[in-house]
Amino acid sequence: MMKIIGRIESNNLKKIVTFILTFVFMSAILMTSLVTKKYDLKVGEIAKSDIKASKEVTDTLKTKEKQQQKEESVPLQYNKNLEIKKEALDQIDSLFFQANKLLESSSDENAKIHALRENAQINLSEEELKVLVTLDKAQLKVLQENLTSVMNKVLDMDIREDNEEDIKKAQDAIAVKFNASKLSRNLRDLGIRIGTLMIKPNFFYDEDKTNELKIEARKSVQPIIIKKGQIIVKEGEPVTERDLIILKDLGLLDNDDNKYIYLSIIALVLLVMFLQWFYI
């Protein structure tokens, strides 16, 4: 009887030992084959060996840098408001219409100046209005023709909002064109003054269109791919932030994910072996 009990205990011991050894062996094989070697690295640390890409992966940092460069190359987009030119020319026509109308008036000079100031849409000074109301019909006609011709050209220029350089350039163009004319000094000065007052921005920043083109520019950038087997970190060189980002994307950075993989493998092996123990 004792021999039988001894044999049973011996068989049970063998089973337990076999179970444990099998469990350890299977777990070790699965962990070795399923768990990729990972690295515990920090920025600036010197790599002890070459680390290669285990698969193809996008170099997100370089791709973003390239997208940023492409986006910054997109020029600001503007829309030209053609109504600005039309309004300016209409105001000039209205000013000279009022001035010509006053030629037929029997009012004195001060009354004419007052009437012109009330009806004109151009903010001329008292002295400038005085010069204007003293001009005869021929002088008004030649000044209006010259002013309209000059402003037709100058207002075709791109005058950006909040850009003093563009405004100054347009004003200088008016002065150059009038000074090159054969008008008398007082007509030239008055023409330059009226034209200068008519200069307004006509080229306005289009944020929506600019952003749309920037988005298209970003999308046009092809992702920079790191090929499988390509060296990410070279032995003896300091680890960079870019290296860590790539290693993380490859899943090669040491973190707490490993312990969950190990626990999952152990649980799976135990389940399989218990099923085998009780049902086979």
Side-chain angles (χ1 to χ4, degrees):
M1 187 70 176
M2 293 298 293
K3 289 183 178 180
I4 294 172
I5 293 172
R7 286 178 180 177
I8 292 173
E9 289 178 349
S10 178
N11 286 337
N12 285 339
L13 181 61
K14 287 179 180 179
K15 286 183 178 180
I16 292 170
V17 172
T18 302
F19 181 90
I20 292 172
L21 291 175
T22 304
F23 168 76
V24 172
F25 181 70
M26 289 180 64
S27 298
I29 290 176
L30 287 173
M31 287 179 185
T32 303
S33 59
L34 295 179
V35 180
T36 306
K37 181 181 177 182
K38 298 196 176 186
Y39 303 88
D40 184 13
L41 297 170
K42 295 179 177 62
V43 174
E45 186 175 340
I46 303 302
K48 296 177 181 178
S49 61
D50 288 345
I51 303 176
K52 297 181 179 181
S54 55
K55 59 183 179 181
E56 279 194 359
V57 69
T58 300
D59 189 334
T60 54
L61 196 61
K62 278 198 171 181
T63 300
K64 285 180 180 178
E65 287 175 357
K66 195 172 181 181
Q67 288 174 333
Q68 184 69 24
Q69 291 172 358
K70 194 77 173 176
E71 184 178 306
E72 289 174 355
S73 69
V74 174
L76 298 179
Q77 299 299 302
Y78 289 84
N79 284 327
K80 195 163 191 174
N81 187 349
L82 301 179
E83 286 298 312
I84 300 294
K85 177 180 178 179
K86 181 178 181 302
E87 289 173 5
L89 294 176
D90 286 346
Q91 287 176 10
I92 291 170
D93 287 343
S94 175
L95 175 68
F96 281 91
F97 173 78
Q98 295 297 330
N100 277 288
K101 189 176 178 182
L102 289 172
L103 288 175
E104 303 169 2
S105 172
S106 59
S107 303
D108 61 22
E109 186 177 278
N110 288 331
K112 289 181 179 181
I113 291 172
H114 178 74
L116 195 55
R117 182 188 295 112
E118 289 295 317
N119 293 306
Q121 297 172 295
I122 301 173
N123 189 26
L124 293 171
S125 68
E126 185 88 9
E127 192 62 34
E128 289 159 351
L129 289 171
K130 184 177 179 179
V131 173
L132 192 58
V133 298
T134 58
L135 298 178
D136 60 29
K137 194 174 187 69
Q139 288 174 314
L140 285 172
K141 181 180 179 183
V142 71
L143 178 58
Q144 182 179 6
E145 288 175 349
N146 275 268
L147 186 57
T148 301
S149 174
V150 169
M151 297 309 293
N152 255 314
K153 295 173 183 176
V154 172
L155 292 175
D156 279 337
M157 297 170 64
D158 296 334
I159 306 171
R160 291 167 291 182
E161 59 178 334
D162 301 323
N163 192 305
E164 293 298 326
E165 185 180 345
D166 284 357
I167 292 175
K168 182 69 166 55
K169 192 183 294 183
Q171 292 173 343
D172 289 345
I174 293 171
V176 168
K177 291 180 184 300
F178 266 104
N179 286 328
S181 70
K182 296 179 179 179
L183 296 176
S184 63
R185 177 66 181 271
N186 66 327
L187 290 183
R188 287 202 308 268
D189 290 345
L190 186 56
I192 291 171
R193 177 59 179 163
I194 295 171
T196 299
L197 291 172
M198 292 292 95
I199 296 299
K200 295 178 183 177
N202 60 4
F203 214 47
F204 299 94
Y205 174 57
D206 189 333
E207 185 177 3
D208 291 338
K209 190 174 181 180
T210 301
N211 290 336
E212 183 182 336
L213 291 179
K214 285 184 176 182
I215 291 170
E216 290 177 4
R218 288 181 70 88
K219 287 181 179 179
S220 69
V221 174
Q222 294 297 320
I224 298 174
I225 302 297
I226 293 174
K227 301 293 185 181
K228 181 179 179 180
Q230 186 175 334
I231 295 176
I232 307 300
V233 183
K234 290 186 179 181
E235 180 182 358
E237 293 189 0
V239 177
T240 65
E241 183 181 356
R242 171 179 171 266
D243 297 334
L244 292 181
I245 292 173
I246 296 170
L247 291 174
K248 182 180 179 181
D249 291 342
L250 286 167
L252 297 179
L253 271 186
D254 194 16
N255 51 39
D256 291 338
D257 292 344
N258 276 358
K259 72 180 181 182
Y260 296 114
I261 297 174
Y262 293 143
L263 289 173
S264 299
I265 291 173
I266 290 171
L268 178 63
V269 173
L270 283 173
L271 177 63
V272 171
M273 293 191 67
F274 273 119
L275 289 174
Q276 185 179 14
W277 180 283
F278 288 108
Y279 295 105
I280 299 177

